[in-house]
Amino acid sequence: MAGMMDKMQGGTPWKRALKDKGFNLEDSAMAQLFGYLEFCLRQVVADNELGALIDALDGKYILPGPGGDPIRNPDVLPTGKNMHALDPQSIPTSAAVDCAKVVVERLLERLQADNGGVYPESIAFTLWGTDNIKTYGESLAQ
């Protein structure tokens, strides 16, 4: 019944919203994206933290999982896992390397300009664990 109502009203709500903004896409072209977004929403609202805490206090096994930013890594959802900070085999990611390359090139250009056209003899930086967890190794890649 909902499918028939959508057709009578000009398509699904997201199709109508996109059409209002000047985009004319078929529902089939958006089905995979919205299916994934619906999956993500289910993961976000699946509040497993209290249940996992009670299970942990009862000495039960808590499934491990990655921590971090759910936008960069949707695998951190749902919450309530025995979170590990990072997998050293997974960092730096290729996206982190790409970002780091731009940052380092700009840093070297700035240091060269500030030093009369001469590159510095050495550069030091500090690696913070939390920063590498949040950025999936961007600092490490630099």
Side-chain angles (χ1 to χ4, degrees):
M1 185 72 165
M4 183 178 287
M5 290 301 292
D6 285 340
K7 287 182 182 178
M8 290 173 41
Q9 296 174 346
T12 57
W14 57 78
K15 182 176 181 180
R16 289 192 308 271
L18 286 170
K19 191 172 185 177
D20 289 345
K21 297 295 180 187
F23 298 97
N24 192 14
L25 298 171
E26 293 300 317
D27 284 340
S28 60
M30 297 179 289
Q32 185 176 3
L33 169 65
F34 280 93
Y36 178 70
L37 292 174
E38 187 175 324
F39 167 78
C40 290
L41 179 60
R42 282 194 304 270
Q43 296 298 310
V44 168
V45 298
D47 182 8
N48 299 329
E49 290 186 26
L50 187 56
L53 175 62
I54 291 170
D55 287 347
L57 292 172
D58 284 341
K60 294 179 182 174
Y61 177 78
I62 307 301
L63 186 68
D69 181 356
I71 300 299
R72 290 180 186 241
N73 182 8
D75 291 337
V76 304
L77 298 172
T79 60
K81 299 175 189 164
N82 184 6
M83 185 177 74
H84 54 80
L86 59 96
D87 174 7
Q89 300 299 317
S90 66
I91 62 168
T93 63
S94 58
V97 170
D98 292 343
C99 289
K101 184 178 178 186
V102 172
V103 170
V104 170
E105 286 173 352
R106 289 180 182 166
L107 173 66
L108 290 174
E109 287 172 5
R110 171 77 187 268
L111 291 172
Q112 185 183 26
D114 290 349
N115 198 25
V118 179
Y119 284 111
E121 290 183 27
S122 63
I123 298 174
F125 64 97
T126 304
L127 290 177
W128 289 93
T130 306
D131 185 51
N132 279 303
I133 293 166
K134 289 190 293 187
T135 65
Y136 292 93
E138 191 173 309
S139 301
L140 182 64
Q142 292 175 9

